[in-house]
Every structure is written in structure tokens, then in C-alpha cells.
Amino acid sequence: GPQKPALPASDFHSVPAADLPSGSGSYSDATCPWSTTCLAVGTADGHGVATRTSNGGGSWSTHSVGDSTALTAISCPSAETCFAGGTGSDGQAEMYLTTNGGSTWTQQDMPAGVVIGSIGCGSTTSCIAVGTPASSSPAVPSGPSTVIATNNGGTSWVQHPAPANGLTTVRCWNVSTCWVAGPGAWFSADLGATWENRSPPQPLTGCPTTTGFGVCNGPVWSKTIDIELQSATDAWVVGGEQCGGKDGTQCLGAAFHTSNAGVSWTLWPGSTKDPFGWQISCRGSSCLYVDRTFTTSELLGTSDGVTWTTLQSI
């Protein structure tokens, strides 16, 4: 399979402005299908763009993608084959395919009324895309979600019933092992046609009174927004507790690990002392973990899955 970059990494470098699109813009999603190849998608001056490096960040090239106004998700099942989705100039969801690493993109037909917020591919021809309307806060599990899938390289996409509202992330290990995260975690063995609830348990009924996280109202996994797979049975899911109130500065985080495909989950206790979990990426026991307050982001790293160190605060 593709080479994956070693983790964790304690030093990240900003991409030079000259390598990025001119004008105002931002990126929503990124993936590294090869050890030296990464692609990021987003928007710049009202156009959807894809920015790629093939030499480990030494240089970057950017291409506009179709008539999209914003790209929100990308998945690359190989170094050259990628699916990117977002919104078109008419406000409807759009999906694009590249088979040459992002140099050119071909638009694909989409079912009406769907939303693309995350894409997961089990092969170069089989992928799932999920989404929840942008009006739904990423920190609160709400909003009607959509699920679409293709098993023919995007020639056609079929809509399936969503297992829950507020879906945010989909990941596939292969065509028979896919997961989505939202206010919980769901498993599919048939490329999204049906889903089985395998959510983490509810170990807490609210925020501990000593954490100072503000007002909290429910279990720590009231929102699990990212799920990442290391094998067909090994996964992490992260998120936390929705919160708010006058004195709230950050929400309670949560990171769960399973080694038996969600039959049981283990809560990393330290995650509840950190802010809301946003993303995680692991290679074996080495992980990078992003959490967020209302004003800052933290990047944590571990080499054993037990002891975590803050690498950066942004």
C-alpha cells in the first residue's frame, strides 16, 4: 500500500505565500496519499482550488477545480486518483475526480440535495461521501445529513439513508469496512447502504466540576467529529462535549480507541482534561491529535498512545 508519513512530527512549516493562490482564501481539508505527496482543497477568491506537493512540501502547485466555489473534502485512494467535493456556483453539491494527481479534474453527476463534507474511499473506484448543512454548528450534533456512494469510480453516485444527523467524517479501510462519525460512530460493511451503531460508551454524565470548561449538558461523546482507521479493526474517534455559557472558554474533549472494530472502546483519560478534539491521525501507537478552544488550537503528539505532549499551540 501507499507509504504513510511517520508520526508524530514536532515541527511544521508554513507553505510560502508565493506557492498559494493569490488573494484571500482558506483550506478545508487535506490528505497525504504518499509519504511525499499531499493535497489540500479549499477556496480562493470565490473559486474551488486544489494545492499539491509531490516533494514533501518543497514546492506546491495550485489548480482551480471546475466551476466550484468552495471545496470542503478530499480523499485520495492512490497518489494519482483523488475525489474532491464541495459546492458549485449554483449552490449545489459538486464532486470532482482526478486521475493525474490533481492536474485536471472531471466533474461527476450528483444526486440532488446532497451535502459533501467528508469523503472516504475504500478503493480507487469505491467511495462514500457524507455531509451536513453548513448552518449546523460543527460543535453541536444537529442538521439532516446525507450519504452517497459510488462503486464505479464516480460514474454514478447513489444516495443511502443516513444513520444519524450531524455526520461529519467518513473513513474506509476497504470496500467492506467504512465508518462515519457524528454524535457517535457507525460501521458499514456494504459501502454505506446500511449502518450499525457502534458508538463509544457514555462514561460521563456531564463535565467534571473541577475542569472549568463552562456549562456542559451531556455525555462526552455528544459530538465525535473525526474517526481514523489504522486497520479493519483498529480506530480512534475524537470529539467531546458541547458546551457554552457566559464563562465558557473551551469544551470538554474526548478521544476513544478501539482494537476490536467498536465492540469496546477505551477512553484516553487525559483527553477530558484537554479541549474539544478535532482531528487525529495515527501510525501504530504514534499519533497526532488536534484539539480546539474557542480561540486557539493545540497539536499534541504521542509515541505510545499513553503519554501525550503539546507540540504546538496556535
Side-chain angles (χ1 to χ4, degrees), residues 35-257:
S35 58
T36 56
T37 300
C38 300
L39 292 93
V41 294
T43 181
D45 286 341
H47 299 286
V49 294
T51 298
R52 171 190 166 103
T53 180
S54 57
N55 56 9
S59 60
W60 297 76
S61 60
T62 297
H63 299 274
S64 296
V65 180
D67 71 342
S68 60
T69 58
L71 294 178
T72 54
I74 185 170
S75 181
C76 298
S78 75
E80 300 299 320
T81 300
C82 301
F83 294 82
T87 306
S89 57
D90 59 357
Q92 301 300 308
E94 291 189 350
M95 183 77 75
Y96 294 88
L97 168 67
T98 180
T99 56
N100 53 20
S103 297
T104 58
W105 297 83
T106 302
Q107 186 174 351
Q108 303 188 312
D109 291 331
M110 289 284 96
V114 302
V115 180
I116 300 173
S118 178
I119 306 169
C121 295
S123 71
T124 56
T125 58
S126 298
C127 303
I128 300 175
V130 304
T132 302
S135 58
S136 299
S137 168
V140 179
S142 61
S145 299
T146 58
V147 175
I148 56 175
T150 181
N151 61 7
N152 55 19
T155 300
S156 61
W157 290 80
V158 177
Q159 187 168 357
H160 298 302
N165 292 337
L167 299 181
T168 53
T169 305
V170 58
R171 295 290 182 257
C172 295
W173 182 256
N174 51 41
V175 295
S176 59
T177 305
C178 295
W179 290 79
V180 292
W186 288 263
F187 169 80
S188 176
D190 51 15
L191 208 63
T194 59
W195 296 91
E196 177 185 345
N197 191 342
R198 297 189 184 178
S199 297
Q202 303 180 28
L204 300 178
T205 58
C207 291
T209 57
T210 57
T211 60
F213 288 123
V215 180
C216 300
N217 305 306
V220 295
W221 62 269
S222 64
K223 190 64 176 176
T224 51
I225 65 172
D226 187 33
I227 189 164
E228 299 295 338
L229 311 179
Q230 301 182 78
S231 72
T233 57
D234 192 287
W236 282 85
V237 63
V238 302
E241 170 63 290
Q242 65 192 61
C243 67
K246 175 183 173 182
D247 298 322
T249 59
Q250 61 189 34
C251 296
L252 180 72
F256 292 90
H257 177 255

Side-chain angles (χ1 to χ4, degrees), residues 267-280:
L267 173 68
W268 165 41
S271 64
T272 62
K273 301 176 183 178
D274 287 313
F276 198 98
W278 215 254
Q279 286 184 311
I280 192 167

Side-chain angles (χ1 to χ4, degrees), residues 287-311:
C287 300
L288 292 175
Y289 175 51
V290 177
D291 61 41
R292 288 176 58 172
T293 72
F294 293 118
T295 57
T296 62
S297 294
E298 292 181 335
L299 178 67
L300 287 74
T302 183
S303 59
D304 58 12
V306 177
T307 302
W308 296 73
T309 304
T310 300
L311 304 177

